[in-house]
Amino acid sequence: MSPLSAGSPLPLLMGLAALLAAGGCTTAVDDDDADDDAADDDLADDDAADDDAADDDAADDDTTPEFAENGWPVSTAPEGLEGTGYQVGDIVPDFTREDQNGNDTSMYQFYGYTLLLEFSAMWCGPCNQMADDSEEFFEELSAELPFYIVTVLVDDYQYNTPDVDDLQTWVEEYDLTYPVLTEGAGFTTISDHAEVVALPTVLVVDPEMKVRERYEGVPDEDDLADLIRSIDSEY
């Protein structure tokens, strides 16, 4: 009888083998597809993680300060921070005075900035000299680091307490873009509390409101800039 006769089991066995072989190939392809899908999912997860990291970096790099309604930067000083005085090593007390825009401005809203706290008068020649140079100094340093100047104007040209009009005159004369405050009257004058005996008097205040240096007279700008940068490097 011929091996390929109708009754032979060989064709059936060969067909079964072919079916099994085809099934095996199909399974392998499915496994490869599953692996590819898993790899795609991993890549998607990695991309999502990279996006999250980028968002975190963007948040960390966002150093844009918040501003108060008075137009100046605002931050929150630690609860319980109390001023002790205006001499080197003291913590400057908080105070609030009217600025050139007629708004109340507080010392502690500049917490976190290195500050120059200046006491000047409109009749004072050296004060005018310092004001003439201070805007350029302010712009240079504030572009590098968190820095502000706060001027307390002690007297107008007639030795009276300055009003908002006087503050605006001073600001416009020297194109100032930082706060200039009136010091108040009577027994609440800041200069009395600060024991100001010469004008100008300039205090260098660190970001934690500690007085690092005090000058009577116009300080050297290069020395002042070096000191401010040195303080900033500590934070």
Side-chain angles (χ1 to χ4, degrees):
M1 183 174 63
S2 168
L4 299 180
S5 64
S8 173
L10 183 57
L12 180 61
L13 292 176
M14 291 176 65
L16 180 59
L19 180 61
L20 290 175
C25 291
T26 301
T27 302
V29 170
D30 290 343
D31 288 343
D32 288 343
D33 288 342
D35 291 341
D36 289 343
D37 290 341
D40 290 340
D41 290 341
D42 290 341
L43 288 174
D45 291 341
D46 290 342
D47 289 342
D50 290 341
D51 289 341
D52 291 340
D55 291 341
D56 292 341
D57 290 341
D60 292 340
D61 291 340
D62 186 8
T63 56
T64 303
E66 295 184 23
F67 286 85
E69 292 183 2
N70 58 22
W72 313 120
V74 61
S75 61
T76 303
E79 185 176 353
L81 182 67
E82 294 185 1
T84 58
Y86 295 86
Q87 303 300 322
V88 175
D90 287 339
I91 301 298
V92 173
D94 193 15
F95 58 80
T96 300
R97 291 294 186 273
E98 200 170 27
D99 67 15
Q100 67 262 40
N101 301 312
N103 297 320
D104 286 341
T105 297
S106 299
M107 185 68 179
Y108 280 10
Q109 79 176 73
F110 296 96
Y111 186 88
Y113 287 78
T114 302
L115 299 175
L116 286 189
L117 177 58
E118 302 175 346
F119 294 90
S120 295
M122 298 181 77
W123 54 260
C124 165
C127 299
N128 283 266
Q129 172 194 340
M130 185 172 68
D132 194 34
D133 297 328
S134 63
E135 178 62 26
E136 182 178 354
F137 183 82
F138 169 62
E139 291 179 3
E140 177 184 348
L141 268 294
S142 62
E144 295 180 24
L145 49 90
F147 170 70
Y148 248 85
I149 297 175
V150 177
T151 293
V152 177
L153 210 56
V154 175
D155 292 329
D156 65 11
Y157 291 113
Q158 287 75 43
Y159 303 93
N160 298 316
T161 300
D163 58 20
V164 172
D165 288 340
D166 293 318
L167 303 182
Q168 289 177 343
T169 296
W170 185 260
V171 166
E172 291 170 3
E173 176 70 21
Y174 298 110
D175 294 322
L176 305 178
T177 61
Y178 54 78
V180 178
L181 314 179
T182 185
E183 84 147 345
F187 295 103
T188 62
T189 57
I190 303 168
S191 60
D192 285 343
H193 291 302
E195 300 177 353
V196 173
V197 296
L199 293 171
T201 291
V202 179
L203 280 61
V204 181
V205 182
D206 72 16
E208 296 178 329
M209 293 293 151
K210 183 176 182 179
V211 180
R212 293 294 193 95
E213 189 57 86
R214 178 176 171 134
Y215 301 92
E216 293 182 351
V218 180
D220 180 83
E221 280 195 1
D222 290 337
D223 292 343
L224 200 56
D226 288 343
L227 176 57
I228 291 168
R229 291 186 177 104
S230 176
I231 292 171
D232 180 70
S233 70
E234 299 175 14
Y235 292 87

